[in-house]
Amino acid sequence: MSEATEQAAPKVKRPTRAHRREEILAAATRVFGSKGYHQGSLVDVAAQVGITHAGVLHHFGSKDKLLWEVLEYRDRVDVQHLEGKHIPGGMDLFRHLVTTARLNADRRGIVQAYAVLTGESVTDGHPASSWVGQRFAVLRGEISEAVRDLATERDVRLPDGEAERAANAVIAVMDGLQLQWLLDPDAVDLAEATRFAIESVLTATLGSTVQIVSP
Amino acid sequence: MSEATEQAAPKVKRPTRAHRREEILAAATRVFGSKGYHQGSLVDVAAQVGITHAGVLHHFGSKDKLLWEVLEYRDRVDVQHLEGKHIPGGMDLFRHLVTTARLNADRRGIVQAYAVLTGESVTDGHPASSWVGQRFAVLRGEISEAVRDLATERDVRLPDGEAERAANAVIAVMDGLQLQWLLDPDAVDLAEATRFAIESVLTATLGSTVQIVSP
DNA sequence: CCACACTTACTTACTGGTTAGTAAGCCCGT
DNA sequence: ACGGGCTTACTAACCAGTAAGTAAGTGTGG
């Protein structure tokens, strides 16, 4: 009898398409993160959500397409803590980068997936290589822009290409620190190390001490 | 008849064991670099030296053992331009790091193999993970030591752990720049970017401008 | 309100391909 | 004539993708 009144929670039986896809994406992130794309199989992914590998293909068509959606999924998670606000510029961008690093220290799976897939992507014809390349290009643009903002703010004239060089160094240091942290979490404090490294690059680039204060 | 007189050139026919192993190691470096460890097969390696995959196993026993020898092989190549001199300290170490970066810009295969294997190594139970971990630990020790040398030289008192933080940043930036360079060689000048990034970290750490002059 | 048509979410079973590793034997140089 | 270097031939495992079937839903016309 009480069942009729419980119609407020309508869908308990079959998972909706959207929900199931999300489950599979989360599982695929774990699998690709812990085994890599080539070594991680659709059977592994399927087992984690309690279906067969054919069921996964029913939702995503092919393993390549699944990977693409996993990468987009990571992008969504990456900016969700910004809550609608667009990606910031100037000093706020660097604060955002450090904040992301701090959050990442509690999201090992996603960091690992990113590191593994980025490393794998430099192999010939890897399906993720264009995604990673694009990602680097976008980051390079955004960060060098922020560096130029800071330079203008402080009346510093930057040599040609200096902003891009700084941007590349910032991106590099974040990726490299993640690798070290994954292999030995005790050897690196992800957030602190990231803050230190970015401050170093900015200080050297702008010629005066730069401090990134936690928001 | 003339065959008998040709015995003056003794070893043209069958390659010696040592020489063959070296050929296979070079081939394996190319294959693991271009396809990764898991995706690169023994058949690929064997084809490059004109034998079958069973021939490779005859020399190395298993794929894992081959990987280990490839990693050791890379270490040998990496320091061979030092010609017997041991790994330097102080400012000489950082000069050495930049020099290595410059040489690496013409050794894409080795850089790629290192990047791919390092990325792969964070996957569960990867045979290279302990090698990479060890490598990071050794580098961290050597570089932080060199940072302390420079600090002493310049009468700078470093906060606790600052040398290690700087070392981590230097290692990170080198690995990260290699990744970016592999994905888009035009976007990064490997040697210049490395020099810039290391100088930044050292300048920020030591509180006064540091320049690394090419030897 | 219910039967019929259709769709969704899978499963089972299979194909064709690739893999590392093993075993046995051949050939060539010494 | 013997042993190292190699090949051929094979095994057992695993892979992505396909095809066909099934059960449980959803929508619709009468």
Side-chain angles (χ1 to χ4, degrees):
Chain A
M1 38 168 143
S2 60
E3 280 85 346
T5 65
E6 278 184 311
Q7 63 179 219
K11 281 152 190 173
V12 272
K13 294 244 169 148
R14 228 217 264 168
T16 67
R17 178 170 184 81
H19 182 262
R20 196 53 140 183
R21 282 174 55 98
E22 193 107 348
E23 275 188 313
I24 295 173
L25 285 175
T29 302
R30 284 193 297 273
V31 170
F32 292 158
S34 66
K35 299 193 168 193
Y37 173 72
H38 286 302
Q39 195 64 7
S41 72
L42 293 180
V43 175
D44 294 331
V45 175
Q48 292 213 8
V49 288
I51 61 176
T52 64
H53 90 280
V56 173
L57 287 172
H58 165 72
H59 284 288
F60 291 92
S62 77
K63 197 187 180 188
D64 272 30
K65 285 182 197 152
L66 175 60
L67 173 63
W68 271 95
E69 301 228 28
V70 163
L71 296 173
E72 283 176 22
Y73 178 69
R74 192 210 121 105
D75 278 344
R76 281 204 303 277
V77 172
D78 218 38
V79 294
Q80 74 185 10
H81 76 99
L82 289 174
E83 292 283 355
K85 304 154 212 154
H86 64 313
I87 289 167
M91 186 58 86
D92 282 341
L93 174 59
F94 298 105
R95 265 192 283 271
H96 167 61
L97 294 178
V98 173
T99 301
T100 301
R102 181 163 49 251
L103 292 174
N104 279 345
D106 293 315
R107 295 190 301 206
R108 182 173 221 277
I110 283 181
V111 175
Q112 188 164 327
Y114 174 75
V116 171
L117 291 173
T118 303
E120 246 184 324
S121 77
V122 312
T123 60
D124 302 343
H126 195 282
S129 73
S130 63
W131 182 84
V132 177
Q134 189 93 9
R135 188 183 169 78
F136 277 146
V138 170
L139 279 173
R140 189 143 48 218
E142 284 171 355
I143 296 176
S144 60
E145 180 73 24
V147 170
R148 272 188 292 266
D149 286 352
L150 288 186
T152 306
E153 246 177 49
R154 293 169 179 237
D155 288 317
V156 176
R157 174 140 173 73
L158 293 179
D160 226 54
E162 189 85 344
E164 281 74 18
R165 238 166 304 175
N168 284 338
V170 167
I171 298 167
V173 98
M174 292 190 333
D175 289 339
L177 286 173
Q178 285 182 11
L179 263 179
Q180 291 178 52
W181 175 75
L182 285 166
L183 280 159
D184 186 357
D186 295 327
V188 184
D189 178 331
L190 201 52
E192 267 310 291
T194 302
R195 191 187 52 73
F196 170 83
I198 295 180
E199 278 181 1
S200 297
V201 171
L202 293 180
T203 298
T205 303
L206 299 173
S208 59
T209 304
V210 174
Q211 282 190 23
I212 301 172
V213 288
S214 321
Chain B
M1 39 170 145
S2 60
E3 281 84 349
T5 65
E6 277 183 308
Q7 63 179 221
K11 281 155 190 174
V12 270
K13 295 247 167 149
R14 224 212 273 177
T16 67
R17 177 170 185 82
H19 182 262
R20 196 53 140 183
R21 283 173 55 97
E22 193 106 348
E23 275 186 313
I24 295 173
L25 286 175
T29 302
R30 283 193 298 272
V31 170
F32 292 159
S34 66
K35 299 194 168 192
Y37 172 71
H38 287 303
Q39 195 64 7
S41 73
L42 294 179
V43 174
D44 293 332
V45 175
Q48 291 213 8
V49 290
I51 62 176
T52 64
H53 89 281
V56 173
L57 286 170
H58 166 72
H59 284 289
F60 291 92
S62 78
K63 197 188 180 187
D64 272 31
K65 285 184 197 151
L66 174 60
L67 174 62
W68 271 95
E69 301 227 28
V70 163
L71 296 172
E72 281 176 24
Y73 177 71
R74 193 209 122 105
D75 279 344
R76 282 204 304 277
V77 172
D78 219 39
V79 295
Q80 75 187 8
H81 76 101
L82 289 173
E83 292 282 356
K85 304 155 213 153
H86 63 314
I87 288 168
M91 185 59 85
D92 281 342
L93 174 58
F94 298 105
R95 265 193 283 272
H96 166 62
L97 293 178
V98 174
T99 301
T100 301
R102 182 162 48 250
L103 292 174
N104 280 345
D106 294 315
R107 293 190 304 204
R108 182 171 222 277
I110 283 180
V111 175
Q112 189 164 325
Y114 173 76
V116 172
L117 290 172
T118 303
E120 247 184 324
S121 78
V122 312
T123 60
D124 302 343
H126 196 281
S129 74
S130 63
W131 181 84
V132 176
Q134 189 93 9
R135 187 181 171 79
F136 277 146
V138 169
L139 279 173
R140 190 144 46 219
E142 283 171 355
I143 296 176
S144 60
E145 179 74 25
V147 170
R148 273 187 291 268
D149 286 353
L150 288 186
T152 307
E153 246 176 50
R154 295 168 178 237
D155 287 316
V156 176
R157 174 138 173 73
L158 291 180
D160 226 53
E162 189 85 343
E164 281 74 17
R165 240 165 305 178
N168 284 338
V170 167
I171 298 167
V173 98
M174 293 191 332
D175 289 339
L177 286 173
Q178 285 182 10
L179 263 179
Q180 292 178 52
W181 175 76
L182 286 166
L183 280 159
D184 186 358
D186 295 327
V188 184
D189 178 331
L190 200 53
E192 268 311 291
T194 301
R195 190 187 50 75
F196 171 82
I198 295 180
E199 278 182 1
S200 297
V201 171
L202 292 180
T203 298
T205 304
L206 299 174
S208 58
T209 304
V210 175
Q211 284 191 21
I212 301 172
V213 288
S214 322

